[in-house]
Amino acid sequence: MTFNDCGIELGVDLEKTGVVIPALNAEKTIGAVLDALLKYGFKKENIIVIDDGSTDQTSEVVAGFGVALLKNEKNLGKGAALKRGFEKARLMRLQGVFTLDADGQHRVEEINNFLELCNGYDLIIGMRRDVLKMPSLRRLVNRITSLVISVLSQKSIPDVQCGFRYINLRIFEKVFLKTNNYQTESEMVFKAIKNDYHIGFIPITTVYNNESSYIHPVIDTIRFIKMAVGLLWH
């Protein structure tokens, strides 16, 4: 049985579990996220940060922690960064990964709640409780995308875009992601459901610090619509 540094019994082996973090201009927040993950008990080499074309000191901060760092020379999109991280994790033969955002909005200690469900689900998605505190743009986008994916998959999806997740990497034996931006997280959920993987949800706390959102309302809405239309023929 595995325990973290806080003496908490874990449902998965952290030796075989990683963390994938897409990061864009996160020099002010990524350090605290990495520090919390290392204190929790994750191995340095199992923490994978993808610097998606940052123009600040994100890579330098990450390198100082000795974790795995992948760099995109230009910004390719959150989905592209996630896919690169998943590929790296699979090559390392990890069994599963957590994904978190680099801006510090997710509380690392709440990973404990995910671990309680890991044995029963292939994909566990955080369900943000503080919806009214969410920036209005994010709230609107999340409502629309969650509703569309719920209709398409014929399964109630309360929060399709939350970046705090546990993913059993075996889902990528059947789930092939084609998109590269913010719609990728929705694509993953839909395709996991259609391939009969077990999806679970866990309430999480979200910390908003007036950080900038990289969602482009018009462009990303068009991208989502194109993806949704494509999924109709999946």
Side-chain angles (χ1 to χ4, degrees):
M1 188 60 65
T2 304
F3 296 81
N4 68 1
D5 289 346
C6 299
I8 297 173
E9 185 176 307
L10 306 178
V12 299
D13 185 356
L14 288 192
E15 294 285 322
K16 300 178 181 178
T17 304
V19 183
V20 171
I21 307 173
L24 176 61
N25 296 331
E27 64 177 7
K28 296 180 180 179
T29 55
I30 189 66
V33 175
L34 295 176
D35 184 60
L37 288 168
L38 291 171
K39 288 180 178 177
Y40 190 89
F42 288 98
K43 297 172 64 176
K44 286 185 178 182
E45 58 267 33
N46 288 354
I47 300 174
I48 305 166
V49 179
I50 306 89
D51 182 347
D52 190 29
S54 295
T55 56
D56 63 2
Q57 301 299 306
T58 294
S59 284
E60 288 77 1
V61 173
V62 173
F65 283 86
V67 302
L69 172 63
L70 305 177
K71 294 182 65 173
N72 294 335
E73 293 305 317
K74 63 178 182 179
N75 179 245
L76 300 178
K78 185 179 184 181
L82 285 170
K83 290 193 293 184
R84 190 174 180 191
F86 299 150
E87 180 181 7
K88 170 72 171 178
R90 296 183 72 192
L91 288 173
M92 294 168 61
R93 299 190 181 280
L94 296 177
Q95 293 180 349
V97 295
F98 286 91
T99 62
L100 299 95
D101 291 344
D103 58 9
Q105 68 172 278
H106 302 135
R107 292 182 174 175
V108 170
E109 63 268 24
E110 291 189 347
I111 284 176
N112 292 332
N113 300 331
F114 285 79
L115 294 175
E116 294 178 1
L117 298 180
C118 282
N119 291 332
Y121 294 96
D122 302 299
L123 172 62
I124 306 171
I125 305 170
M127 184 171 56
R128 288 168 283 193
R129 291 178 289 199
D130 307 321
V131 175
L132 294 180
K133 296 180 181 179
M134 188 185 301
S136 57
L137 175 59
R138 293 190 188 185
R139 186 165 64 248
L140 176 62
V141 171
N142 190 55
R143 283 181 176 176
I144 294 173
T145 54
S146 295
L147 175 60
V148 171
I149 297 300
S150 295
V151 171
L152 291 178
S153 65
Q154 299 182 325
K155 179 179 175 66
S156 177
I157 309 295
D159 195 343
V160 76
Q161 286 197 312
C162 182
F164 197 0
R165 303 180 175 201
Y166 172 78
I167 304 164
N168 188 318
L169 291 172
R170 74 179 186 131
I171 75 169
F172 296 117
E173 295 172 4
K174 296 181 180 180
V175 172
F176 303 100
L177 301 173
K178 296 182 178 179
T179 58
N180 291 315
N181 295 281
Y182 283 95
Q183 74 272 43
T184 302
E185 288 163 320
S186 299
E187 180 191 11
M188 181 193 305
V189 175
F190 176 85
K191 289 184 175 179
I193 292 171
K194 288 303 180 181
N195 282 286
D196 297 321
Y197 289 112
H198 295 98
I199 313 297
F201 297 90
I202 189 78
I204 62 167
T205 304
T206 309
V207 181
Y208 295 108
N209 295 308
N210 297 317
E211 65 277 356
S212 299
S213 174
Y214 292 101
I215 294 176
H216 300 284
V218 176
I219 295 174
D220 284 310
T221 297
I222 293 173
R223 286 170 175 162
F224 179 82
I225 292 172
K226 289 176 64 178
M227 181 204 69
V229 171
L231 293 178
L232 286 172
W233 307 101
H234 187 272

